[in-house]
Amino acid sequence: NIEVRMPEVLGHTKDAAVSNLEAAGLVVGTVEESFSADYPEGQVCYQSYEAGTNVPQGTVVDLKISIGSEIATYNCNLITFF
């Protein structure tokens, strides 16, 4: 088995992450959306293998894409009652 180094895709867009993983000889598995306080909406906030580890070529890597922070903020000044 040929081993490849797991690329760092946290903070990348989904398309960039998929390109990097496929270029490394890896397979993209499940891609889900998830709340993340650490990564802005649209960025990868989870990868199923730690970056820098050696894994067999063809390993399936699952990703989660941030949909932003779970805590919504509302500006009450915009609400006007007549």
Side-chain angles (χ1 to χ4, degrees), residues 38-73:
D38 299 322
Y39 293 93
E41 183 176 352
Q43 291 187 0
V44 175
C45 59
Y46 167 84
Q47 63 186 85
S48 56
Y49 291 88
E50 190 176 342
T53 56
N54 289 330
V55 296
Q57 191 171 14
T59 293
V60 176
V61 182
D62 296 330
L63 301 174
K64 289 186 180 175
I65 310 298
S66 173
I67 52 173
S69 178
E70 195 166 1
I71 300 167
T73 56

Side-chain angles (χ1 to χ4, degrees), residues 3-9 26 47 49-55:
E3 293 221 326
V4 296
R5 183 171 290 266
M6 180 64 58
E8 172 74 73
V9 296
L26 303 166
Q47 63 186 85
Y49 291 88
E50 190 176 342
T53 56
N54 289 330
V55 296

Side-chain angles (χ1 to χ4, degrees), residues 1 6 11-12 14 17 19-20 24 35-36 55 59-61 63 70 74-75:
N1 257 356
M6 180 64 58
H12 294 194
K14 177 185 170 187
S19 293
N20 287 344
F35 290 110
S36 173
V55 296
T59 293
V60 176
V61 182
L63 301 174
E70 195 166 1
Y74 297 97
N75 185 342

